Amino acid sequence: MTSGTEIHSNGHAGGDDAVLPFAVEALDVRGRAVRLGPSIDTILRRHGYPDPVARLIGEAAALTVLLGSSLKFEGRFQLQTKTDGPVAMIVVDFEAPDRLRATARFDAERVAALGTGPLKTADLVGTGHLAMTIDQGSAASRYQGVVALEGQSFEEAAHQYFRQSEQIPTQVRLAVAEAFEDGASRWRAGGLLVQFLPQSIDRARLADLPPGDIPEGHAHLGSGAPEDDAWVEARSLTGTVEDHELVDPNLSSERLLYRLFHERGVRVFEAQGVRETCRCSRERVMGMIRSFTPEDRRDMVADDGRIVITCEFCSRRYALDPAEVEREIAERPAQ
């Protein structure tokens, strides 16, 4: 982490599509704030998701960026749900240091049947599980944590994950809204992650880690350990955050952090940008096609004589000539 700067009441305005790390040393707290603007709006507008589904994906994206941006290496953090609700699956990829993409599968009729009133996460998701995966590029370096989804929100699922997996005292806030800017409606999402990471051993020093196992030899807070007064204060302050404060285009992350922690002194560090971009390519599509048998590939040919693959994330359409596909596979068979 770079050297920080103290926030004063006249702090500069922060931009959208950025993660802002911060520390409140007096409370032994570190965390990150995220604001998603054009990136999440592009993702949600591209697919024309119904509003309830769009809000759910926005929350999942904000949570994924909060967690994935902690990676200290180039790798990929993925959040995925698989459930029995109207929204059967959500997948959000964050490729360090800044690439974000997301998609969802849902039953439009079941979503519409829920009506237009306020909906809870459980109404859309139902029951199932939420998996968070860190992929550093090899099977040996891959880690996955799983949380059962049984009616809780994504915020509550994140809290559950940190309690059972990392055992790091953590508070998460997420919000999504549709804002009207310059006469147009645009989606926005925001989030705040606050973790208690005391330096003294007798206060259970814990590492600021991405999701994963605590390294051997590190102490952790057991379920029966009393809460530290500093963490109680930090958690209480975080609990005062209103949804609109996380998504308001006129309220920067710096100003929000100042509002929360100015009495204790809060330092912010260099912000990390976030951009909407997809990992798909013709090479990746060909890699997938190679895994099918020749018979399966023949069945993939559409009426127009082409093999058509559409990326679920960015909707890019790949129309391939079957003869060219077979020629490439013959020259470069699957390994």
Side-chain angles (χ1 to χ4, degrees):
M1 186 173 278
T2 60
S3 60
T5 56
E6 194 84 16
I7 291 181
H8 301 286
S9 59
N10 61 347
H12 67 278
D16 284 340
D17 292 338
V19 184
L20 184 69
F22 67 90
V24 185
E25 294 169 357
L27 297 178
D28 285 318
V29 159
R30 295 175 70 183
R32 293 176 291 280
V34 62
R35 296 290 176 107
L36 301 179
S39 63
I40 194 64
D41 187 64
T42 297
I43 289 170
L44 300 180
R45 299 287 176 197
R46 175 185 290 133
H47 294 281
Y49 293 114
D51 282 7
V53 179
R55 293 177 186 278
L56 202 61
I57 298 170
E59 283 194 8
L63 177 58
T64 300
V65 174
L66 283 174
L67 300 180
S69 59
S70 70
L71 298 179
K72 305 301 189 294
F73 49 82
E74 288 194 4
R76 186 160 62 103
F77 182 94
Q78 183 184 84
L79 180 150
Q80 180 172 350
T81 67
K82 186 175 182 181
T83 60
D84 61 4
V87 182
M89 186 184 75
I90 296 173
V91 181
V92 186
D93 272 342
F94 181 83
E95 188 170 5
D98 61 357
R99 300 174 66 173
L100 175 69
R101 64 178 188 168
T103 188
R105 294 179 184 174
F106 64 97
D107 186 320
E109 291 185 359
R110 291 180 66 189
V111 171
L114 295 173
T116 58
L119 297 175
K120 296 180 179 179
T121 301
D123 298 328
L124 293 160
V125 173
T127 60
H129 67 264
L130 182 153
M132 291 176 278
T133 305
I134 297 173
D135 186 352
Q136 299 181 57
S138 67
S141 61
R142 194 170 183 268
Y143 172 83
Q144 184 175 80
V146 179
V147 175
L149 290 177
E150 300 172 323
Q152 71 271 49
S153 66
F154 285 156
E155 286 181 3
E156 293 165 337
H159 296 159
Q160 181 180 338
Y161 169 77
F162 278 101
R163 283 196 304 270
Q164 70 186 31
S165 181
E166 297 235 11
Q167 300 184 24
I168 298 175
T170 302
Q171 190 79 2
V172 173
R173 286 286 288 109
L174 304 169
V176 179
E178 203 172 6
F180 289 89
E181 306 171 39
D182 302 323
S185 173
R186 295 184 175 88
W187 285 105
R188 301 179 59 80
L192 180 68
L193 179 144
V194 181
Q195 294 186 308
F196 182 53
L197 301 162
Q199 296 300 308
S200 62
I201 296 177
D202 61 338
R203 293 175 67 192
R205 181 179 182 184
L206 298 167
D208 183 10
L209 297 174
D213 293 330
I214 296 176
E216 184 177 353
H218 277 240
H220 62 80
L221 292 178
S223 58
E227 286 193 302
D228 189 286
D229 289 344
W231 173 239
V232 171
E233 180 179 344
R235 182 164 51 80
S236 298
L237 290 171
T238 305
T240 68
V241 174
E242 301 285 346
D243 285 359
H244 70 86
E245 292 182 292
L246 294 172
V247 294
D248 186 347
N250 298 313
L251 178 66
S252 68
S253 294
E254 291 93 336
R255 288 186 177 276
L256 173 58
L257 293 171
Y258 176 82
R259 198 275 285 174
L260 291 174
F261 301 115
H262 68 278
E263 291 185 357
R264 289 294 194 169
V266 56
R267 302 172 68 214
V268 299
F269 302 87
E270 182 178 355
Q272 171 64 57
V274 178
R275 59 194 176 103
E276 180 278 324
T277 186
C278 193
R279 300 170 66 239
C280 76
S281 65
R282 188 182 186 283
E283 183 179 3
R284 289 180 181 272
V285 169
M286 281 299 302
M288 180 271 293
I289 292 177
R290 284 190 182 94
S291 66
F292 291 97
T293 65
E295 292 77 15
D296 288 336
R297 291 197 292 271
R298 284 195 291 270
D299 291 340
M300 295 169 67
V301 178
D303 293 340
D304 63 357
R306 313 284 284 184
I307 295 177
V308 179
I309 305 293
T310 302
C311 177
E312 291 188 340
F313 287 94
C314 69
S315 298
R316 182 176 177 182
R317 186 172 180 269
Y318 294 86
L320 308 176
D321 182 338
E324 185 177 341
V325 167
E326 295 302 325
R327 184 165 55 253
E328 288 189 33
I329 291 176
E331 293 173 354
R332 296 178 56 191
Q335 300 297 317

